[in-house]
């Protein structure tokens, strides 16, 4: 294999990996779009809630019994007010 062929393969793999990453992130953002419930409060997805609190998503799931949330259509939803209250209680 020539140097040019090797270089081409490295670039092709890098582009392919980047595209796969962007597709994954796009899918995540589509499925993690918060719902607008009838009470007018904006709900956060689990990922957004973890980011809002500055913790890893895994840590949120490990403590889910203590973190105020609702489950709608199989998704966990969180309010900013609920998360702030939870953090202030600790």
């Amino acid at each position: 294999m020539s140097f040019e062929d090797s270089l081409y393969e490295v670039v092709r793999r890098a582009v392919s990996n980047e595209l796969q990453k962007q597709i994954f992130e796009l899918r995540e953002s589509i499925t993690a779009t918060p719902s607008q419930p009838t009470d007018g409060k904006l709900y956060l997805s689990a990922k957004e809630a973890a980011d809002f609190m500055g913790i890893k998503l895994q840590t949120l799931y490990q403590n889910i019994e203590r973190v105020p949330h609702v489950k709608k259509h199989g998704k966990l939803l969180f309010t900013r007010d609920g998360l702030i209250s939870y953090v202030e209680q600790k």
Side-chain angles (χ1 to χ4, degrees):
M1 182 180 265
S2 72
F3 174 75
E4 290 178 359
D5 290 343
S6 296
L7 183 60
Y8 172 80
E9 187 61 26
V10 169
V11 171
R12 187 192 66 75
R13 285 184 187 163
V15 169
S16 177
N17 289 341
E18 183 62 26
L19 285 174
Q20 288 176 356
K21 178 182 169 190
Q22 289 179 3
I23 290 169
F24 176 78
E25 290 173 355
L26 182 58
R27 283 183 181 156
E28 286 290 314
S29 71
I30 289 169
T31 59
T33 301
S35 302
Q36 282 287 348
T38 56
D39 64 4
K41 293 181 182 175
L42 177 64
Y43 282 78
L44 303 175
S45 68
K47 171 87 172 90
E48 292 167 328
D51 290 344
F52 181 74
M53 293 193 302
I55 60 173
K56 292 182 179 182
L57 184 58
Q58 180 180 0
T59 304
L60 176 66
Y61 285 132
Q62 289 172 342
N63 294 284
I64 199 64
E65 303 85 26
R66 297 186 297 239
V67 180
H69 66 280
V70 296
K71 196 169 190 178
K72 184 174 180 181
H73 304 294
K75 294 186 180 193
L76 297 174
L77 302 173
F78 306 82
T79 63
R80 285 182 173 87
D81 291 341
L83 295 173
I84 291 169
S85 295
Y86 169 73
V87 170
E88 288 177 346
Q89 288 176 345
K90 290 188 92 178

